[in-house]
mmCIF file of all heavy atoms in Angstrom:
data_model
loop_
_atom_site.group_PDB
_atom_site.id
_atom_site.type_symbol
_atom_site.label_atom_id
_atom_site.label_comp_id
_atom_site.label_asym_id
_atom_site.label_seq_id
_atom_site.Cartn_x
_atom_site.Cartn_y
_atom_site.Cartn_z
ATOM 1 N N LYS C 251 -13.848 -144.063 -24.137
ATOM 2 C CA LYS C 251 -15.071 -143.251 -24.167
ATOM 3 C C LYS C 251 -15.764 -143.267 -25.521
ATOM 4 O O LYS C 251 -16.837 -142.725 -25.691
ATOM 5 C CB LYS C 251 -14.740 -141.799 -23.790
ATOM 6 C CG LYS C 251 -13.705 -141.125 -24.676
ATOM 7 C CD LYS C 251 -13.419 -139.722 -24.202
ATOM 8 C CE LYS C 251 -12.346 -139.042 -25.018
ATOM 9 N NZ LYS C 251 -11.012 -139.536 -24.708
ATOM 10 N N SER C 252 -15.142 -143.874 -26.525
ATOM 11 C CA SER C 252 -15.733 -143.882 -27.859
ATOM 12 C C SER C 252 -15.551 -145.247 -28.492
ATOM 13 O O SER C 252 -14.497 -145.864 -28.377
ATOM 14 C CB SER C 252 -15.064 -142.809 -28.732
ATOM 15 O OG SER C 252 -15.466 -142.937 -30.076
ATOM 16 N N GLY C 253 -16.592 -145.712 -29.160
ATOM 17 C CA GLY C 253 -16.503 -147.002 -29.834
ATOM 18 C C GLY C 253 -15.890 -146.897 -31.208
ATOM 19 O O GLY C 253 -15.647 -147.908 -31.872
ATOM 20 N N LYS C 254 -15.610 -145.683 -31.664
ATOM 21 C CA LYS C 254 -15.065 -145.486 -33.009
ATOM 22 C C LYS C 254 -13.589 -145.868 -33.050
ATOM 23 O O LYS C 254 -12.843 -145.672 -32.090
ATOM 24 C CB LYS C 254 -15.214 -144.026 -33.428
ATOM 25 C CG LYS C 254 -16.664 -143.569 -33.581
ATOM 26 C CD LYS C 254 -16.710 -142.108 -34.008
ATOM 27 C CE LYS C 254 -18.153 -141.630 -34.136
ATOM 28 N NZ LYS C 254 -18.210 -140.187 -34.529
ATOM 29 N N VAL C 255 -13.173 -146.406 -34.191
ATOM 30 C CA VAL C 255 -11.765 -146.720 -34.403
ATOM 31 C C VAL C 255 -11.044 -145.432 -34.779
ATOM 32 O O VAL C 255 -11.414 -144.761 -35.735
ATOM 33 C CB VAL C 255 -11.582 -147.775 -35.504
ATOM 34 C CG1 VAL C 255 -10.100 -148.021 -35.762
ATOM 35 C CG2 VAL C 255 -12.287 -149.065 -35.128
ATOM 36 N N LYS C 256 -10.040 -145.072 -33.981
ATOM 37 C CA LYS C 256 -9.298 -143.845 -34.229
ATOM 38 C C LYS C 256 -7.816 -144.131 -34.371
ATOM 39 O O LYS C 256 -7.288 -145.059 -33.762
ATOM 40 C CB LYS C 256 -9.499 -142.844 -33.065
ATOM 41 C CG LYS C 256 -10.839 -142.161 -33.053
ATOM 42 C CD LYS C 256 -10.847 -141.096 -31.948
ATOM 43 C CE LYS C 256 -12.127 -140.295 -31.967
ATOM 44 N NZ LYS C 256 -12.120 -139.234 -30.932
ATOM 45 N N GLU C 257 -7.141 -143.303 -35.173
ATOM 46 C CA GLU C 257 -5.696 -143.399 -35.287
ATOM 47 C C GLU C 257 -5.075 -142.370 -34.347
ATOM 48 O O GLU C 257 -5.567 -141.253 -34.213
ATOM 49 C CB GLU C 257 -5.263 -143.122 -36.730
ATOM 50 C CG GLU C 257 -3.798 -143.438 -36.980
ATOM 51 C CD GLU C 257 -3.412 -143.230 -38.442
ATOM 52 O OE1 GLU C 257 -3.748 -142.167 -39.002
ATOM 53 O OE2 GLU C 257 -2.770 -144.130 -39.012
ATOM 54 N N PHE C 258 -4.022 -142.766 -33.665
ATOM 55 C CA PHE C 258 -3.313 -141.837 -32.794
ATOM 56 C C PHE C 258 -1.815 -142.069 -32.957
ATOM 57 O O PHE C 258 -1.369 -143.039 -33.585
ATOM 58 C CB PHE C 258 -3.745 -142.008 -31.331
ATOM 59 C CG PHE C 258 -3.484 -143.364 -30.751
ATOM 60 C CD1 PHE C 258 -2.289 -143.654 -30.101
ATOM 61 C CD2 PHE C 258 -4.449 -144.373 -30.841
ATOM 62 C CE1 PHE C 258 -2.044 -144.898 -29.561
ATOM 63 C CE2 PHE C 258 -4.213 -145.630 -30.303
ATOM 64 C CZ PHE C 258 -3.003 -145.891 -29.663
ATOM 65 N N ALA C 259 -1.035 -141.158 -32.418
ATOM 66 C CA ALA C 259 0.423 -141.246 -32.539
ATOM 67 C C ALA C 259 1.053 -141.276 -31.158
ATOM 68 O O ALA C 259 0.556 -140.664 -30.211
ATOM 69 C CB ALA C 259 0.955 -140.050 -33.328
ATOM 70 N N ILE C 260 2.163 -141.999 -31.043
ATOM 71 C CA ILE C 260 2.950 -141.990 -29.817
ATOM 72 C C ILE C 260 4.387 -141.623 -30.180
ATOM 73 O O ILE C 260 4.874 -141.955 -31.265
ATOM 74 C CB ILE C 260 2.920 -143.347 -29.073
ATOM 75 C CG1 ILE C 260 3.487 -144.467 -29.938
ATOM 76 C CG2 ILE C 260 1.515 -143.674 -28.616
ATOM 77 C CD1 ILE C 260 3.590 -145.795 -29.217
ATOM 78 N N THR C 261 5.042 -140.912 -29.288
ATOM 79 C CA THR C 261 6.420 -140.512 -29.548
ATOM 80 C C THR C 261 7.181 -140.400 -28.230
ATOM 81 O O THR C 261 6.585 -140.151 -27.182
ATOM 82 C CB THR C 261 6.497 -139.180 -30.316
ATOM 83 O OG1 THR C 261 7.849 -138.900 -30.680
ATOM 84 C CG2 THR C 261 5.957 -138.028 -29.501
ATOM 85 N N GLN C 262 8.475 -140.622 -28.300
ATOM 86 C CA GLN C 262 9.350 -140.488 -27.139
ATOM 87 C C GLN C 262 10.534 -139.633 -27.551
ATOM 88 O O GLN C 262 11.252 -139.958 -28.497
ATOM 89 C CB GLN C 262 9.833 -141.857 -26.666
ATOM 90 C CG GLN C 262 10.718 -141.795 -25.428
ATOM 91 C CD GLN C 262 11.194 -143.164 -24.997
ATOM 92 O OE1 GLN C 262 11.339 -144.068 -25.800
ATOM 93 N NE2 GLN C 262 11.434 -143.320 -23.702
ATOM 94 N N THR C 263 10.736 -138.500 -26.867
ATOM 95 C CA THR C 263 11.835 -137.615 -27.248
ATOM 96 C C THR C 263 13.176 -138.296 -26.978
ATOM 97 O O THR C 263 13.362 -138.942 -25.950
ATOM 98 C CB THR C 263 11.785 -136.286 -26.477
ATOM 99 O OG1 THR C 263 11.824 -136.560 -25.079
ATOM 100 C CG2 THR C 263 10.540 -135.500 -26.816
ATOM 101 N N MET C 264 14.097 -138.144 -27.915
ATOM 102 C CA MET C 264 15.433 -138.719 -27.789
ATOM 103 C C MET C 264 16.465 -137.607 -27.862
ATOM 104 O O MET C 264 16.533 -136.876 -28.861
ATOM 105 C CB MET C 264 15.697 -139.723 -28.916
ATOM 106 C CG MET C 264 14.789 -140.933 -28.923
ATOM 107 S SD MET C 264 15.241 -142.071 -30.258
ATOM 108 C CE MET C 264 13.962 -143.310 -30.090
ATOM 109 N N ASP C 265 17.253 -137.449 -26.810
ATOM 110 C CA ASP C 265 18.332 -136.463 -26.784
ATOM 111 C C ASP C 265 19.426 -136.927 -27.745
ATOM 112 O O ASP C 265 19.946 -138.040 -27.619
ATOM 113 C CB ASP C 265 18.870 -136.334 -25.364
ATOM 114 C CG ASP C 265 19.939 -135.258 -25.223
ATOM 115 O OD1 ASP C 265 20.170 -134.503 -26.190
ATOM 116 O OD2 ASP C 265 20.554 -135.180 -24.143
ATOM 117 N N LEU C 266 19.783 -136.071 -28.686
ATOM 118 C CA LEU C 266 20.780 -136.454 -29.693
ATOM 119 C C LEU C 266 22.214 -136.365 -29.179
ATOM 120 O O LEU C 266 23.104 -137.025 -29.716
ATOM 121 C CB LEU C 266 20.634 -135.570 -30.934
ATOM 122 C CG LEU C 266 19.384 -135.804 -31.787
ATOM 123 C CD1 LEU C 266 19.249 -134.696 -32.834
ATOM 124 C CD2 LEU C 266 19.440 -137.163 -32.467
ATOM 125 N N ARG C 267 22.466 -135.570 -28.158
ATOM 126 C CA ARG C 267 23.847 -135.304 -27.737
ATOM 127 C C ARG C 267 24.648 -136.562 -27.403
ATOM 128 O O ARG C 267 25.770 -136.713 -27.876
ATOM 129 C CB ARG C 267 23.856 -134.334 -26.552
ATOM 130 C CG ARG C 267 23.273 -132.947 -26.861
ATOM 131 C CD ARG C 267 23.102 -132.178 -25.564
ATOM 132 N NE ARG C 267 22.431 -130.894 -25.726
ATOM 133 C CZ ARG C 267 21.107 -130.746 -25.793
ATOM 134 N NH1 ARG C 267 20.330 -131.801 -25.731
ATOM 135 N NH2 ARG C 267 20.572 -129.549 -25.919
ATOM 136 N N PRO C 268 24.104 -137.462 -26.573
ATOM 137 C CA PRO C 268 24.905 -138.648 -26.237
ATOM 138 C C PRO C 268 24.934 -139.686 -27.356
ATOM 139 O O PRO C 268 25.674 -140.668 -27.262
ATOM 140 C CB PRO C 268 24.197 -139.212 -24.989
ATOM 141 C CG PRO C 268 22.793 -138.748 -25.114
ATOM 142 C CD PRO C 268 22.850 -137.419 -25.800
#
Side-chain angles (χ1 to χ4, degrees):
K251 58 182 177 285
S252 171
K254 295 180 181 179
V255 177
K256 285 186 175 182
E257 190 177 48
F258 61 91
I260 61 175
T261 186
Q262 182 181 28
T263 58
M264 297 182 184
D265 184 8
L266 290 170
R267 297 170 186 82

